[in-house]
Amino acid sequence: MLIIFTIINFALILLAIFFIILLFIKLSKVQQLEQEYRTLIQEAEDTITSYVLELKEENSSFLQKLSNANPGISHLDKQESFDTREEELTEADLKDILMQENVREDHIETVIAEKPFEEWNIKDQVMHLSEKGLTSSEIAKKLNKGKTEIELLLKFRQ
């Protein structure tokens, strides 16, 4: 009878050890997933932050060009809302500002075309290779950069 209880006791101990190992494996998988989610959240926050900063820079440069193109607006109080300033703009003013921007972009493209490819900044290199039809992984290999970095640059330029 004692032998039977010992065998049952041994079997239960083995079963308990088996379940403890299974629980440990499940716990490690959950911890790994949690770490991956934290990493993803951090990357998303970084991406959104850089996107918002880029938008702020574009908005401030646009407002600067707007105030330079229309000197009558510069005397307005800084606390005044943009809606009020927008009402004072005419369609011709906006066309002039957009035309100046297009001329500036064309000038930049001609200056870039005169330089060797290696001297271009990374954004222009990525855009040029993307326009040629290369995928983000091919561009990353060619420029010795990370695939994620190239994908972010392409997303920001869309």
Side-chain angles (χ1 to χ4, degrees):
M1 186 71 156
L2 185 61
I3 294 175
I4 294 174
F5 284 129
T6 307
I7 293 174
I8 292 174
N9 187 22
F10 183 74
L12 288 175
I13 290 173
L14 288 178
L15 188 62
I17 291 173
F18 176 73
F19 283 125
I20 290 172
I21 291 172
L22 282 178
L23 287 174
F24 179 76
I25 291 171
K26 294 286 186 181
L27 179 65
S28 65
K29 285 181 182 179
V30 168
Q31 288 174 341
Q32 182 182 8
L33 283 175
E34 184 180 5
Q35 183 61 33
E36 288 175 6
Y37 286 135
R38 284 183 187 155
T39 305
L40 286 174
I41 288 172
Q42 184 63 40
E43 288 177 4
E45 286 177 359
D46 292 344
T47 303
I48 290 170
T49 302
S50 62
Y51 182 71
V52 168
L53 288 175
E54 186 176 353
L55 281 177
K56 283 183 180 180
E57 290 173 3
E58 287 179 3
N59 286 342
S60 63
S61 67
F62 178 73
L63 289 175
Q64 177 97 21
K65 289 177 185 177
L66 204 57
S67 63
N68 289 343
N70 233 344
I73 293 177
S74 63
H75 73 280
L76 293 173
D77 187 33
K78 290 186 179 184
Q79 298 298 324
E80 191 173 16
S81 69
F82 180 73
D83 294 335
T84 308
R85 287 187 245 161
E86 185 179 24
E87 291 172 2
E88 295 179 9
L89 291 176
T90 63
E91 189 174 321
D93 293 334
L94 289 176
K95 285 182 180 177
D96 288 343
I97 291 169
L98 292 174
M99 187 68 97
Q100 290 172 358
E101 183 67 23
N102 289 339
V103 168
R104 188 178 77 80
E105 288 176 1
D106 291 341
H107 175 69
I108 289 172
E109 288 176 7
T110 57
V111 168
I112 287 174
E114 294 171 0
K115 290 183 181 179
F117 181 76
E118 293 77 23
E119 293 180 14
W120 295 5
N121 66 28
I122 186 70
K123 294 176 187 174
D124 294 330
Q125 288 178 344
V126 169
M127 291 310 297
H128 179 72
L129 293 173
S130 174
E131 289 170 0
K132 281 183 156 183
L134 273 70
T135 65
S136 58
S137 40
E138 292 171 336
I139 295 171
K141 286 179 185 175
K142 184 166 183 140
L143 299 178
N144 294 328
K145 300 287 181 184
K147 182 180 175 185
T148 307
E149 181 181 358
I150 301 301
E151 288 173 348
L152 281 174
L153 283 171
L154 290 172
K155 285 180 184 177
F156 285 144
R157 294 296 172 188
Q158 288 179 351

